[in-house]
Amino acid sequence: MTTADEVRTIEADSVPARFARGWHCLGLARDFTDGKPHTVRAFGQKLVVWASADGRLNVLDAYCRHMGGDLSRGTVEGDDVACPFHAWRWSGDGRCARIPYARRVPMRARTASFPTLQQDGLLFVWNDPEGNPPPDGVTVPRIEGATSDEWTDWSWYSVTIDGANCREIVDNVVDMAHFFYVHYSFPTYFKNIFEGHTATQIMKGVAREDVRRPQAEGSGAPKVLGQTSVATYHGPSFMIDDLTYHYTDGDVESVLVNCHYPVTSDSFVLQYGIVVRKAAHLGEAAEEVARTMGEFIKIGFEQDVEIWKNKARIDNPLLCEEDGPVYQLRRWYEQFYVDSTDVSAEMTDRFEYEIDTTKPNAAWRAEIEQNIAKQNATAESRPV
């Protein structure tokens, strides 16, 4: 029997030894099409990525099954990658295609290959600890703005996060309150929907008047008033956010991609990209707006990174009514770490939860007004 005075302890199992089943984005496809093999460290191993002569991207385990040479330090020969040690040539399906000095290729000359997907200028790789191919129903939807002349090109960013597990970033899907304290946004509406392999966050917010933003600096510059966001994880690691910023001179429609892939159990590569619709009121400034928004979002992610690097892993978070459905999200997320036969209905059945923002909004509005009053008092006390 517990009492009110009993100290709450933090419970935390070790991070999972396996890596999530699903499509993971490795970055912009064009970064791998220069005719050279590329090293990618992911899923606890080293991979080699290269483009075949027809432009198709391939991903294999980087170590040659002959004598252990590093294929990512080899060369691309036509459709194949050649080992720098003995020039064994490996095709994208994992088979040894040729041994220059041998009469025949050994029958068992196979290495680990990963299914790939090139879509919207991005490269995806499928990871499954059980070795199964991607099911037909598990897909990544197309992003209209990524292939339209009416939108900008990708502004893309990447950073390696050490000392944190991937679950830390996924928790943000349900964490309404951190947007106010960490990202200086004032959430006025917040709802989550989980179903199948997707997890959605719907948020509306207004800009905090007590925090200066780069967009608001300069005389006559348009100011951001707020944002509307519908962000969905499609699988364990790829989120598409239909994000509209509301400025004093009009709305700016954008699509933000927030994605990651694990390097080890306690490190991951965080990537995000943004495309912006070339609205009439933006004129020739659309590309610059995309870059500015990307840099602003970068600041927000850096704020998250500082939290992740210094926080404790906690499996039994102590929650209040205004916190989001953390336990339900983690139950949804668990489906990607168990065998496919162990995925249960409670992990995939539709679940909806809308947070009552009445109390948070009242408290935050009072805090903002107090901060503004302090700022005004400080400004008035400065000598002229």
Side-chain angles (χ1 to χ4, degrees):
M1 182 175 183
T2 60
T3 67
D5 292 332
E6 184 174 333
V7 174
R8 175 83 170 192
T9 60
I10 289 179
E11 300 174 1
D13 291 334
S14 59
V15 294
R18 71 194 302 178
F19 299 99
R21 176 180 57 255
W23 288 109
H24 295 73
C25 179
L26 297 185
L28 295 175
R30 67 188 182 214
D31 291 342
F32 301 99
T33 57
D34 58 358
K36 301 176 182 178
H38 294 261
T39 301
V40 172
R41 296 186 181 275
F43 315 120
Q45 61 192 106
K46 180 186 283 190
L47 308 178
V48 57
V49 183
W50 82 97
S52 299
D54 61 0
R56 179 174 51 86
L57 290 170
N58 310 279
V59 179
L60 300 180
D61 184 302
Y63 293 112
C64 181
R65 291 327 195 235
H66 173 219
M67 294 287 284
D70 184 351
L71 299 176
S72 68
R73 300 181 68 86
T75 57
V76 175
E77 305 293 340
D79 289 336
D80 309 321
V81 62
C83 179
F85 202 177
H86 301 92
W88 284 39
R89 297 182 181 179
W90 298 88
S91 62
D93 63 1
R95 297 179 183 274
C96 181
R98 181 172 173 243
I99 304 172
Y101 59 87
R103 285 179 292 180
R104 63 180 66 91
V105 174
M107 185 171 58
R108 296 181 178 178
R110 292 290 304 274
T111 188
S113 62
F114 292 77
T116 60
L117 170 68
Q118 291 169 248
Q119 182 172 288
D120 297 329
L122 306 175
L123 169 62
F124 297 86
V125 63
W126 174 262
N127 179 67
D128 186 344
E130 297 178 88
N132 296 322
D136 292 337
V138 179
T139 59
V140 177
R142 302 300 297 260
I143 300 172
E144 177 188 358
T147 55
S148 171
D149 292 337
E150 297 178 0
W151 292 66
T152 67
D153 196 3
W154 286 113
S155 292
W156 196 262
Y157 304 81
S158 178
V159 60
T160 300
I161 310 300
D162 293 314
N165 181 262
C166 297
R167 190 182 73 180
E168 302 298 340
I169 187 173
V170 177
D171 274 351
N172 280 8
V173 172
V174 297
D175 190 353
M176 178 194 71
H178 98 286
F179 283 98
F180 182 85
Y181 295 105
V182 179
H183 302 311
Y184 310 131
S185 179
F186 188 150
T188 58
Y189 178 85
F190 199 93
K191 182 177 181 178
N192 288 118
I193 303 172
F194 312 144
E195 186 172 21
H197 71 289
T198 64
T200 298
Q201 173 201 94
I202 304 172
M203 184 177 76
K204 296 179 181 179
V206 296
R208 284 180 56 174
E209 304 98 311
D210 59 334
V211 178
R212 292 188 67 188
R213 287 171 169 78
Q215 298 100 313
E217 296 177 356
S219 60
K223 297 181 180 181
V224 61
L225 302 175
Q227 72 275 351
T228 302
S229 168
V230 180
T232 300
Y233 266 97
H234 299 273
S237 67
F238 189 77
M239 187 191 81
I240 301 174
D241 185 1
D242 292 314
L243 178 62
T244 301
Y245 277 100
H246 309 294
Y247 286 83
T248 51
D249 64 342
D251 288 351
V252 175
E253 297 178 63
S254 67
V255 175
L256 167 67
V257 161
N258 167 13
C259 58
H260 63 272
Y261 61 85
V263 179
T264 65
S265 59
D266 61 355
S267 65
F268 60 92
V269 172
L270 169 65
Q271 301 185 94
Y272 64 98
I274 190 167
V275 290
V276 174
R277 183 185 290 275
K278 299 175 182 177
H281 72 278
L282 294 179
E284 299 296 324
E287 296 285 353
E288 180 59 31
V289 169
R291 285 190 294 270
T292 300
M293 291 176 65
E295 289 296 330
F296 184 63
I297 294 167
K298 177 174 180 287
I299 293 172
F301 275 125
E302 289 172 348
Q303 292 165 327
D304 276 324
V305 170
E306 283 305 304
I307 300 292
W308 297 331
K309 286 184 175 180
N310 294 284
K311 72 180 292 293
R313 179 181 174 87
I314 179 168
D315 292 338
N316 63 330
L318 182 61
L319 305 177
C320 64
E321 291 180 33
E322 286 73 23
D323 285 323
V326 175
Y327 287 102
Q328 290 85 351
L329 173 71
R330 291 182 178 180
R331 192 174 300 121
W332 168 85
Y333 187 55
E334 187 181 359
Q335 67 178 288
F336 307 112
Y337 287 87
V338 300
D339 288 349
S340 56
T341 55
D342 294 328
V343 175
S344 63
E346 67 175 2
M347 299 176 186
T348 59
D349 281 352
R350 185 177 179 88
F351 172 86
E352 297 187 26
Y353 189 89
E354 180 180 333
I355 295 179
D356 183 351
T357 61
T358 305
K359 177 61 171 70
N361 285 347
W364 290 335
R365 175 52 58 193
E367 181 176 334
I368 289 173
E369 291 174 355
Q370 290 173 3
N371 290 342
I372 292 175
K374 291 178 183 178
Q375 292 169 5
N376 292 339
T378 300
E380 292 173 0
S381 65
R382 290 177 185 153
V384 179

